[in-house]
Amino acid sequence: MRVLIAPDCFGGTLTAREAADAIATGWREAKPDDAVTERPLADGGPGFVDVLHAALGGDIRYISVTGPLGKPVEARYLSVHTDGRRGAYIESAEACGLHLIPAELRPESCETATTRGVGELIAAAADDNDVITIGLGGSGTTDGGAGMLAALAEAGVVPTDISLVAASDVENPLLGPHGAARTFGPQKGASPEAVERLEAKLAAMDVLKPVSDIPGAGAAGGLGAALLSLRATMKSGAGLVRELTGLDAALDDADVVITGEGSFDWQSLRGKLITAVASGAAERGIPCVAIAGQVSVGRREMGAAGVQEAYSVSDHVGSVQKSIADARKSLIATAQHVAVQWSR
């Protein structure tokens, strides 16, 4: 049986590459005669640069930028120059990611964390690239991209000189019940009162008002809206990665595809990686199975998204704590179980 392993990263425990390796290891141990292909993916959030570097080659450039708390952090961007095209790929989480903010500081930083470092990355990449793609996801900020816009202005970067692409991992608008503050603010440490203050600040940013309703504007705490205000093209991060990594060709040669991420929840059904993989599988009439740290999507919802079955690692090993304590071992064990269920 030909098995394609195509997961995203698993939260803060395993990168996409590590998750793919663990699932493949478990599958091979259970079904050694199957042909297993690993294709780690990303949807614009953490892992975006690594996944595209593996697929496209190019050069990784390292620079020091302003982190979300105002202190320097080391970040990277990928520069790919082929066939006369000069393109750069940026992972915004490397400059403003939630993982850069200690948990105990998040209630305080949720209203002040900045995207300035993202602007500094774009300015650096603009020196020798014509098209710059910014992956959105995993941010610890809700500043509406104000920090990024300020950094670009100070660097004298003129957006008309370059083409910007925003690769979003969600489809949320900027404001409202499904917007940046009310949907994602609590995940970044915001209290109900702080959420409303953030909502008001975003609503008051005149530069964002014309683009506030566009799907993806609410990505990365409104960074999506700021990029749209610079005439960036909004694309699905998962769809873009699917295209650039040649996922469709890999799906053509598969009998079943296994995807996954840290939490398979309602957000997974709105622009995340699992739906992109499931869509490709459905187009070819092959089953798509998800393995996730936790699963909270009902059968009807996952079926509508094209996922035949989903397996929870925490349920399989007994608890969330056990699944995190040895994430690789837990994922291997779950993959063994899934292989027995799905391999012919």
Side-chain angles (χ1 to χ4, degrees):
M1 190 171 186
R2 299 170 299 173
V3 184
L4 177 63
I5 310 294
D8 199 347
C9 63
F10 273 57
T13 58
L14 297 169
T15 66
R17 184 176 297 276
E18 291 168 340
D21 179 71
I23 295 171
T25 297
W27 196 288
R28 291 185 179 113
E29 289 178 356
K31 295 291 181 177
D33 292 333
D34 286 348
V36 178
T37 300
E38 299 172 41
R39 187 60 62 92
L41 300 173
D43 57 15
F48 186 66
V49 165
D50 285 333
V51 165
L52 292 182
H53 186 217
L56 304 177
D59 299 317
I60 296 286
R61 311 281 175 82
Y62 293 82
I63 64 170
S64 177
V65 300
T66 304
L69 301 181
K71 298 178 181 179
V73 298
E74 186 176 69
R76 311 167 299 161
Y77 67 91
L78 173 64
S79 185
V80 182
H81 293 180
T82 57
D83 300 325
R85 184 179 185 274
R86 305 188 307 162
Y89 299 89
I90 288 170
E91 187 178 312
S92 62
E94 293 214 348
C96 67
L98 186 62
H99 68 284
L100 298 173
I101 306 175
E104 64 273 13
L105 297 182
R106 292 172 189 173
E108 177 184 349
S109 69
C110 64
E111 296 184 70
T112 59
T114 179
T115 55
R116 173 173 287 273
V118 180
E120 294 167 354
L121 275 171
I122 294 173
D127 284 342
D128 63 346
N129 289 284
D130 304 315
V131 181
I132 300 176
T133 300
I134 302 95
L136 306 178
S139 80
T141 55
T142 315
D143 73 343
M148 178 200 70
L149 293 173
L152 288 176
E154 291 171 16
V157 175
V158 181
T160 54
D161 293 339
I162 55 175
S163 295
L164 297 175
V165 177
S168 177
D169 67 334
V170 296
E171 300 171 344
N172 301 66
L174 180 65
L175 304 171
H178 301 296
R182 291 178 177 151
T183 300
F184 305 112
Q187 300 172 10
K188 302 173 185 182
S191 65
E193 295 77 17
V195 165
E196 294 311 311
R197 289 193 295 269
L198 288 168
E199 178 80 1
K201 285 178 65 176
L202 293 173
M205 294 179 66
D206 289 337
V207 69
L208 305 185
K209 289 179 180 178
V211 298
S212 63
D213 292 333
I214 297 176
L223 183 57
L227 288 167
L228 286 167
S229 76
L230 297 176
R231 298 186 179 180
T233 300
M234 181 65 70
K235 291 188 176 183
S236 160
L240 183 66
V241 170
R242 172 180 169 179
E243 174 188 342
L244 295 177
T245 61
L247 178 63
D248 285 283
L251 286 167
D252 288 340
D253 292 329
D255 296 313
V256 62
V257 58
I258 312 299
T259 187
E261 62 182 343
S263 178
F264 186 24
D265 54 27
W266 67 270
Q267 292 182 37
S268 305
L269 306 178
R270 291 169 172 80
K272 292 284 191 175
L273 179 78
I274 285 180
T275 54
V277 176
S279 174
E283 290 168 5
R284 291 158 177 80
I286 62 174
C288 177
V289 178
I291 301 177
Q294 298 181 70
V295 176
S296 57
V297 175
R299 284 187 173 276
R300 180 178 298 178
E301 290 84 359
M302 73 173 70
V307 177
Q308 273 67 41
E309 187 63 83
Y311 296 84
S312 164
V313 177
S314 59
D315 286 351
H316 184 73
V317 301
S319 70
V320 173
Q321 292 74 20
K322 287 182 179 179
S323 68
I324 294 175
D326 193 335
R328 174 177 167 79
K329 181 179 179 181
S330 297
L331 188 51
I332 288 174
T334 308
Q336 290 173 330
H337 172 71
V338 174
V340 171
Q341 302 297 314
W342 284 89
S343 180
R344 289 195 296 264

